[in-house]
């Protein structure tokens, strides 16, 4: 177990259809000639002058190599000084449940002992009674500032000082969440409280005196000794949930969807049994479709996550779709290419074969990676609404929803949310199949239409009759836009596919799982 | 299990910890310790178990050591005597062969936070600083900071500081960063760690070894360094260029800030940097993490404040998604308002119109106000759009639209006619106080253009008894008196009724006083009333006071990537005003009195702001702070340069004047309270050549003119003339605002 390097790998791709006009095209470094690093990408000087000279800042070097280190302490009088900006530090960290119970509370600096009230309680009171116009991410309280992120219904809160960098804080908290997920399995109130000893240990290694020390999982692992407590024993036979793994490499078998979320530290006595690699391609769709059916905004952000449970650290090769273009200028294949505006790779990814064969070489470790991409394939859903008034004065709303996926794919948990005029008093419905449901939600004044599953190429329809007293032309303006939420398992809108995952080494082929998932971040259909 | 069972549980735990059988079994022992920690985490008092726990830490099990150290650190402040027990074991662990144990012991010992521990700390810390293992050195370096914090005010040990400075050359990057952090805390009184040229260059060369957190912190520390020459400056920028493209937003933002601050004299570099950071900021804006998204949006707004149009071509990125939380949607709408231009205005307005019918009242109103803001530039389109919204007859929408109209008419008088045409019919749909006030104000100020204005106001007068909000009643009084001046025949009767009601029946003192005031005013004749009330109905020049557009980059570069942009300017001012310094911080030793002889401006404050285009040669410098003593000394030593008197109507609140003066960088040294006779104020300002302008404002009782005396530190008649014209403009604007 000592040598194993687990980790999670993530990359993201994003892109709007042509709305970013040419960000300077992303260049991948030429094959393995790192030594001669190409000259600084852009010179900020007016006259062009190459080669930063600082590396050879000789004076200081020579002095340091002299007999015995020269006293390094600078003279305080001559040095220029700016008003002190203290570095980013976190005074306390706490994790609260959605009801405000304190699951984890760690005070790193003991500075807040003097304050009259308990900060965790104060935070919870503030967050639950916040006026609508204030954003809750950062809150000030008696000279301290709370920063929090929310995940899985839990609040991860840090207290800090005003000149801390907000980006660092938020990024750190997000990283903390990822690490906790890696080390303890899926996050939940129960899981956090079961694993509290491990979390305290983790926090202790990550932060000292409120300063971030390290967040690299492979480093942290060496210092972690507590074992995770799993909420539910993991079993390969647990096929109750819908299997989302349709792996090209292992077509006959399907792993449960929870397989990739278990902790990376194996419980005692189970070493060597799980030689597995999981590759997830997850895409988020942000789409706005105008009333006439033209897409106004199409934005797909994708992420390739790699999570491996391998006993030893080997280089892995992942092949992406060969027709994978980055930027506008590049063209590959015959029009069916996956086009990406922007992509970012984690620093541990070697890209020397990327130009030629679209192969990523990865030494598994924590990371993430951003790509951006464009959609050549049609959008998954179109909506055709018809609105009229029947003779009795009721508003008739006929919705036709067409699913444009290939016939083999399907969409799950489709939910259409449609705002209706505020004066509506009752709803009558006719749906095309019995498994669908629809209801009028009085709190948000909208119709919710649930479709558990929808096969590609199919068409669903619904007829709603609304009783709206005092219906006027103006109140029809309140109708729409519809928002659609759905999941598309085993489908990527960008067409990105993993061709292969190869691992060298004699130790028997590990099990490799690939999963594709697209979900809608926001899919708005205008009326 | 007797969890939280108080005494009983404690006894049971003690029994378990003391049981030799348990102690012999590693796992059972650990489980018992774990249970104690769990009780502690849940808030139970487990301090009674201290001796047993200290004993448990002597075991060989590392997990157990960690758990106990957690316990000891939490309990030590409550039980200093007993904590000394733990010190012994910990000191022994500091010599343990395993670096992990040594580091842990050192960290726990330094974290004990109890008085008198320092003498035990010195020795292990010093050997920790020279330990072979970097893990131990990391803990030792921060341990120094912890120890010196415990000592409090004592003199800082010079040898230790030197040792830490020399550890900046350590091989381990985290040790280097920890050294900076420790020195920063230890030397706080002297202004923090000093970054001189060798250190700066050393850090720059080590940048590549650091992880993202280290990078962003070192970049923050480097802000202190001032390159000596242009060449050095650009070398540094070139070296750091790659970090503008890092995959971690925190590094990108720290690098951006450094670039902006270092290149403060090179606007083209600053502009270039902001262009290059666009990509990372936009991708953070669409990040999956809402919190990161929010932070990035706030910084986008900050940038837009000085470079409007910077993100204009990416406006679609700032369209709201259905599933986003409110605070993000609100930020996005603000951003949309600021980046609107000729090309995208149509699409942006179309999008905002979609939000106006949102289920959430706040969001819908926010969208309407956003359209109102855009209307300052694209008046015609927006007024059409807003008028259309009135057709919805929704209470909250109508109210927000009328409020938007009120603000718009004030700034863009050309749209008055269109607004007045839209007004009839609104009165039925408005229920809230803000909306009513806006509607009444509009009817009062522009009643001559709304045919049914008197009848709408009459309805309000009829129902004044059941009106809940005093503010609405006051507004009604003012509006009716104004309308009376333009349409006397229709209003005389109801004005009489309203005044009668306000004076005779009203319980609220403010309303009653206002009623009396108007009554007496009317007694003095219509001409007088006209002179008082018919002030200009709009004044576009007030845009200066409402929102200053185009703040130069240098005004906010030092705030970039701190919490200031996240809260927004107004709230930040509020927060920092109440909480000047968090309790732990001691102020930096910039004792201004010692600097009397030097120039009053420090290097950093040489950001100069053009005050007014027509003041030509004069530029006043922001952030010059004179203390009252300094002012008094200078005032007494200088001769009068100029004396003048300004017309004054006497109803202006001092705060208004102060704010107005602050806008043009005139500092208020002292000021009497409102209504004091005679009223005085002392002001100071400094121009970019270092010339000081000291001013006294004096207002005698019942004098319609304000006496202004100006003294100047150097005789420069031209600058004096310019200064006086600035002063005159500001006071004029303030007077107009106050009445």
């Amino acid at each position: 177990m000592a040598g194993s390097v687990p980790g999670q790998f993530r990359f993201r791709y994003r892109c709007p259809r042509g709305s970013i006009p040419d960000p300077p095209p992303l260049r991948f470094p030429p094959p393995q000639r790192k030594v001669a690093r190409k000259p600084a990408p852009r010179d900020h000087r007016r006259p062009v002058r190459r080669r930063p000279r600082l590396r050879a800042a000789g004076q200081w070097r020579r002095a340091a190599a002299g007999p015995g280190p020269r006293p390094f302490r600078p003279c305080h009088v001559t040095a220029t000084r700016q008003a002190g900006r203290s570095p980013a530090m976190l005074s306390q960290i706490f994790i609260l449940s959605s009801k405000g119970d304190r699951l984890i509370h760690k005070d790193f600096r003991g500075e807040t002992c003097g304050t009259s009230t308990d900060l965790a309680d104060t935070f919870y009171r503030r967050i639950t009674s916040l006026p609508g116009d204030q954003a809750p991410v950062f809150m000030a309280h008696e000279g301290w500032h709370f920063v929090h992120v929310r995940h899985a219904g839990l609040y991860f809160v840090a207290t800090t000082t005003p000149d801390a960098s907000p980006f660092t804080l938020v990024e750190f908290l997000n990283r903390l969440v990822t690490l906790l997920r890696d080390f303890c399995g899926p996050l939940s109130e129960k899981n956090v409280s079961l694993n509290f000893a491990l979390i305290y240990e983790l926090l202790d290694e990550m932060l000292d005196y409120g300063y971030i020390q390290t967040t690299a999982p492979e480093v942290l692992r060496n210092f972690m000794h507590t074992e995770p407590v799993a909420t539910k024993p993991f079993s390969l036979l647990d096929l109750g949930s819908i299997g989302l793994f349709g792996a090209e490499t292992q077509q006959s078998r399907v792993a449960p969807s929870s397989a990739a979320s278990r902790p990376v530290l194996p419980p005692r006595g189970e070493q060597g049994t799980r030689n597995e690699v999981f590759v997830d391609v997850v895409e988020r769709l942000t789409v706005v479709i105008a009333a006439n059916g033209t897409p106004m905004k199409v934005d797909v952000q994708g992420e390739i996550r790699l999570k491996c449970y391998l006993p030893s650290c080997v280089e892995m090769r992942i092949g992406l779709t060969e027709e994978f273009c980055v930027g506008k200028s590049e063209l590959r294949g015959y029009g069916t290419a996956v086009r990406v505006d922007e992509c970012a790779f984690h620093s541990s990814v070697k890209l020397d074969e990327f130009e030629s064969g679209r192969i990523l070489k990865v030494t598994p470790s924590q990371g993430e990676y951003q790509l951006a991409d464009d959609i050549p394939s049609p959008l998954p859903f179109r909506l055709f609404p018809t609105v009229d008034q029947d003779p009795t004065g009721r508003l008739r709303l006929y919705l036709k929803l067409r699913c444009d996926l290939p016939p083999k794919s399907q969409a799950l948990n489709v939910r259409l949310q449609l705002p209706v005029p505020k004066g509506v008093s009752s709803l009558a419905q006719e749906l095309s199949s019995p498994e669908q449901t629809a209801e009028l939600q009085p709190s948000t004044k909208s119709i919710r239409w649930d479709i558990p599953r929808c096969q590609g190429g199919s068409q669903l329809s619904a007829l709603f009759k609304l009783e709206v007293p005092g219906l006027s032309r103006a109140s029809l303006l309140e109708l729409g836009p519809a928002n659609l939420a759905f999941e598309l398992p085993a489908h990527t809108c960008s067409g990105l596919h993993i061709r292969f995952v190869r691992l060298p080494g004699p130790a028997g082929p590990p099990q490799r799982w690939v999963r594709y998932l697209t979900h809608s971040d926001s899919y708005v259909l205008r009326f | 299990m007797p969890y939280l069972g108080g005494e009983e549980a404690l006894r049971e735990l003690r029994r378990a910890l003391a049981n030799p059988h348990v102690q012999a079994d590693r796992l059972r022992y650990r489980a018992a310790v774990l249970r104690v920690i769990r009780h502690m985490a849940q808030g139970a008092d487990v301090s009674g178990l201290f001796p047993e726990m200290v004993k448990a830490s002597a075991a060989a099990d590392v997990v157990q050591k960690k758990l106990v150290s957690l316990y000891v650190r939490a309990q030590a402040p409550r039980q200093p005597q007993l904590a000394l027990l733990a010190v012994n074991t910990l000191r022994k662990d500091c010599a343990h062969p395993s670096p992990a144990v040594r580091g842990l012991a050192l960290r726990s010992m330094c974290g004990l936070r109890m008085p008198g521990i320092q003498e035990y700390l010195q020795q292990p810390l010093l050997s920790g600083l020279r330990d072979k293992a970097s893990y131990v050195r990391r803990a030792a370096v921060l341990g120094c900071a912890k120890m010196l914090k415990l000592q409090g005010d004592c003199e800082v040990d010079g040898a230790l500081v030197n040792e830490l400075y020399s550890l900046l050359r350590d091989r381990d990057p985290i040790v280097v960063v920890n050294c900076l952090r420790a020195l920063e805390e230890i030397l706080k009184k002297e202004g923090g760690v000093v970054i001189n040229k060798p250190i700066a260059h050393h850090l720059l060369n080590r940048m590549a070894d650091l992880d993202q957190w280290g990078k962003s912190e070192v970049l923050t520390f480097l802000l202190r360094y001032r390159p000596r020459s242009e060449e050095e400056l650009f070398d540094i920028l070139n070296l750091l260029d790659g970090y503008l493209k890092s995959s971690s937003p925190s590094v990108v933002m720290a690098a951006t800030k450094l670039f902006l601050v270092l290149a403060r004299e090179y606007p083209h570099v600053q502009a270039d940097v902001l262009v290059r950071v666009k990509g990372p900021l936009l991708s953070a804006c669409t990040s999956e993490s809402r919190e990161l998204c929010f932070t990035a949006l706030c910084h986008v707004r900050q940038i837009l404040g000085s470079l409007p149009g910077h993100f204009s071509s990416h406006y679609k990125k700032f369209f709201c998604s259905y599933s986003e939380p409110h605070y993000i949607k609100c930020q996005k709408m603000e951003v949309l308002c600021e980046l609107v231009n000729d090309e995208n205005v149509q699409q942006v307005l179309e999008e905002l119109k979609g939000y106006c019918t949102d289920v959430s009242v706040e969001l819908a109103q926010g969208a309407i106000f956003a359209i109102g803001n855009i209307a300052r530039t694209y008046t015609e389109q927006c007024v059409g759009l807003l008028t259309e919204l009135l057709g919805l007859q929704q209470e909250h929408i109508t109210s927000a639209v009328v409020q938007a109209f009120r603000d718009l008419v004030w700034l863009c008088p050309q749209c008055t006619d269109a607004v007045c045409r839209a007004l009839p019919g609104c009165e039925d749909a408005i229920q809230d106080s803000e909306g009513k006030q806006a509607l009444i104000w509009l009817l009062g100020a522009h009643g001559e253009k709304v045919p049914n204005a008197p009848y709408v106001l009459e309805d309000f007068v009829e129902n004044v008894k059941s009106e809940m909000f005093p503010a609405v009643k006051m507004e009604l009084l003012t509006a009716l008196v104004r309308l009376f001046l333009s349409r006397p025949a229709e209003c005389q009767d109801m004005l009489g009724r309203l005044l009668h009601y306000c004076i005779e029946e009203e319980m609220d003192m403010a309303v009653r006083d206002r009623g009396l005031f108007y009554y007496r005013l009317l007694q003095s004749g219509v001409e007088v009333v006209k002179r008082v009330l018919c002030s200009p109905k709009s004044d576009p020049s007030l845009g200066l006071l409402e929102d200053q557009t185009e703040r130069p980059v240098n005004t906010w570069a030092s705030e970039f990537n701190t919490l200031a942009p996240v809260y927004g300017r107004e709230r930040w001012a509020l927060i920092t005003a109440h909480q000047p310094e968090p309790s732990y911080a001691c102020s930096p030793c910039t004792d201004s009195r010692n600097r009397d002889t030097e120039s009053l401006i420090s290097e950093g404050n040489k950001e100069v702001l053009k005050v007014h285009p027509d003041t030509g040669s004069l530029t006043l410098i922001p952030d010059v702070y004179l203390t009252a003593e300094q002012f008094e000394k200078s005032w007494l030593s200088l001769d009068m340069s100029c004396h003048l008197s300004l017309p004054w109507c006497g109803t202006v609140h001092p705060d208004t004047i102060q704010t107005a003066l602050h806008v043009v960088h005139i500092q208020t040294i002292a000021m009497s309270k409102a209504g004091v006779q005679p009223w005085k104020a002392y002001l100071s300002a400094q121009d970019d050549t270092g010339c000081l302008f000291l001013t006294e404002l004096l207002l005698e009782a019942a004098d319609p003119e304000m006496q202004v005396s100006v003294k100047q530190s150097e005789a420069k008649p031209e600058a004096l003339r310019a200064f006086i014209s600035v002063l005159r403009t500001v006071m004029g604007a303030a007077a107009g605002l106050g009445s």
Side-chain angles (χ1 to χ4, degrees), chain B residues 555 601 605-609 620-625 665 686:
Chain B
T555 53
I601 322 145
N605 285 337
K606 285 220 164 133
E607 305 142 358
V608 201
L609 187 66
L620 296 180
I621 301 165
D623 304 329
V624 180
Y625 290 112
H665 307 309
Q686 188 169 16

Side-chain angles (χ1 to χ4, degrees), chain B residues 47-85:
Chain B
S47 52
L49 297 171
F50 210 99
E52 285 82 6
M53 289 298 274
V54 170
K55 203 168 161 208
S57 78
D61 188 12
V62 182
V63 181
Q64 192 162 323
K65 275 188 197 299
K66 285 195 170 181
L67 289 174
V68 174
S69 98
L70 194 70
Y71 173 89
V72 170
R73 265 183 272 174
Q75 300 292 332
R78 291 187 215 166
Q79 306 217 335
Q81 293 89 10
L82 282 174
L84 284 179
L85 283 177

